[in-house]
Amino acid sequence: MTTADAVTVPAAVLRSALELYLGLHMAPELSGAEERTAECFADWLAADGYAVTRGIGGHGVAAVLRRGPGPTVLLRAELDALPVTEETGLRYASRVPGAMHACGHDLHLAALAGAARVLARESAPGAGGTIVVVGQPAEETLDGARAMLRDGLYERFGTPDAVLAQHTATLPAGSVAHGLGPLLAGSVAVDAVLHGTGGHAGAPHLTVDPVVAAAAAVLRLQGVVSRETPPAEQAVLTVGRLHAGERSNVVPDHAELGISLRAFGEAALKRMEAAVRRVVTAESEASGCPRPPRFEVVSHAPPLVADAALTEEVRAAHLAALGTGRVTRWAPAAATEDFGWFGPAGAGLHGGSGIRLGYWMLGTVGAARLRAAAQAADGTGAGASVPGNHSPAFAPEVRTALPAGIVAMASAARRVLGGGQIQPRSRASSAA
């Protein structure tokens, strides 16, 4: 691509997208409860001529714009917020107690809305193909993508040739980053319940204390990565929740553990899950618990692997649209999300094993904050570290990040639709 292919954001589009972002940020909705967010997004798309369908897999939105013969590209952003109390001090901070867009989904939505409007209004010669814009619910609980696919997303709106998405990251605002191979880890979340025999804290010999068993399990689980995982293999095990009892003078009858497993391959995740079950069961037996522990897999997401050829095509589009100084490389991160289900990993859900995924990171950190963080790191200043995703202080530099996000999504979509490198799927492959 050349600089002539660069996408610019009309002032009116950018202004409206910023207003949308501010409204979404002030009124976040948690996973599964994104009714107002979905309506705002759907209304925006309908106003631009997209055929909008609501209520897919929960509050999911799908909007279709058919521009003529050509490939089909699906553009996706997430609707949900996190159960985090905002501490940014922004004038437009969340007005919903205990809820915050601490992962940038409001920025994703606003950028996608702006890109969808740019694409709907463009009149470039030969502009064709089909655009499917998706607002996905329940990403933070890792079940929204599968819910939409099980509700017939591809069957109802067409199997795409490529699916594109972007995600905020602690990179310079206005920049994007691409990676090869796994971009984000896959994950499995396991809840475990150890059963004890409750009683009086002053007579522990008459009880079986599940707190002791749970505490021993937490310590022993640390060996799953440090002693059972090859050093060259990246993996993370975190016990993020331990709950037992309500009073200090009562030995409870059960203890609960919430365990997060992350790795860059399904085989590693399966091995770690088996180890968790083995360790917790062994500690339960060692403590003489009256019955075996109960396990439940509460979420699962595959490693996110972008298509290598598509990644290079999209990166070329971003280089032309944003300039070489704002396009960098991304190293794999242990964060996780459920976008992978839209591609080959979800073939069992939608049958589209040949669907290509394009995914990149969108920078959100302003220059002043980056300088302060750098000075703090080298000891020359008193700046604080940059708050990352899921932090109550997470605050994207929206005036720089939003236009870059619109440009990044629109230019990537245009590359798929009209770049000449991405061929439409055949009927046979679409039905495979």
Side-chain angles (χ1 to χ4, degrees), residues 277-358:
R277 293 174 182 268
R278 184 193 75 235
V279 167
V280 174
T281 298
E283 292 296 348
S284 173
E285 293 176 354
S287 294
C289 291
R291 61 183 188 275
R294 177 172 60 83
F295 298 96
E296 179 184 3
V297 175
V298 294
S299 71
H300 172 217
L304 201 167
V305 182
D307 180 82
L310 180 58
T311 294
E312 289 307 310
E313 288 295 319
V314 171
R315 184 171 180 271
H318 289 167
L319 285 167
L322 296 170
T324 57
R326 295 204 285 168
V327 181
T328 61
R329 290 294 187 180
W330 175 258
T336 190
E337 73 135 293
D338 64 357
F339 181 69
W341 294 120
F342 290 107
L349 294 168
H350 51 66
S353 59
I355 297 170
R356 288 153 291 202
L357 298 182

Side-chain angles (χ1 to χ4, degrees), residues 202-232:
H205 60 293
L206 301 178
T207 73
V208 176
D209 193 340
V211 178
V212 174
V218 170
L219 294 177
R220 183 65 184 83
L221 284 170
Q222 307 312 307
V224 172
V225 171
S226 67
R227 288 298 177 267
E228 298 184 29
T229 300

Side-chain angles (χ1 to χ4, degrees), residues 135-400:
Q136 180 204 310
E139 187 281 324
E140 293 295 354
T141 53
L142 300 179
D143 52 15
R146 282 182 291 179
M148 293 193 78
L149 290 165
R150 289 180 180 131
D151 203 9
L153 179 67
Y154 289 175
E155 291 85 349
R156 295 162 66 180
F157 306 103
T159 301
D161 299 287
V163 186
L164 306 177
Q166 58 190 342
H167 203 292
T168 58
T170 52
L171 300 167
S175 69
V176 297
H178 295 269
L180 297 175
L183 303 180
L184 300 177
S187 71
V188 174
V190 181
D191 280 357
V193 179
L194 293 101
H195 302 284
T197 302
H200 199 289
H205 60 293
L206 301 178
T207 73
V208 176
D209 193 340
V211 178
V212 174
V218 170
L219 294 177
R220 183 65 184 83
L221 284 170
Q222 307 312 307
V224 172
V225 171
S226 67
R227 288 298 177 267
E228 298 184 29
T229 300
E233 183 177 82
Q234 291 179 279
V236 180
L237 185 154
T238 300
V239 180
R241 181 171 61 87
L242 194 167
H243 178 79
E246 303 296 336
R247 299 285 297 274
S248 62
N249 63 345
V250 177
V251 174
D253 62 3
H254 71 279
E256 304 170 2
L257 297 177
I259 305 162
S260 170
L261 311 175
R262 298 166 187 264
F264 290 93
E266 287 293 335
L269 288 171
K270 290 179 180 178
R271 186 183 68 244
M272 293 169 70
E273 182 186 343
V276 165
R277 293 174 182 268
R278 184 193 75 235
V279 167
V280 174
T281 298
E283 292 296 348
S284 173
E285 293 176 354
S287 294
C289 291
R291 61 183 188 275
R294 177 172 60 83
F295 298 96
E296 179 184 3
V297 175
V298 294
S299 71
H300 172 217
L304 201 167
V305 182
D307 180 82
L310 180 58
T311 294
E312 289 307 310
E313 288 295 319
V314 171
R315 184 171 180 271
H318 289 167
L319 285 167
L322 296 170
T324 57
R326 295 204 285 168
V327 181
T328 61
R329 290 294 187 180
W330 175 258
T336 190
E337 73 135 293
D338 64 357
F339 181 69
W341 294 120
F342 290 107
L349 294 168
H350 51 66
S353 59
I355 297 170
R356 288 153 291 202
L357 298 182
Y359 194 91
W360 60 92
M361 312 311 291
L362 175 65
T364 62
V365 186
R369 176 161 268 179
L370 282 173
R371 284 194 298 270
Q375 291 172 354
D378 66 17
T380 62
S385 61
V386 176
N389 300 51
H390 292 213
S391 165
F394 178 71
E397 177 58 56
V398 65
R399 293 189 179 276
T400 306

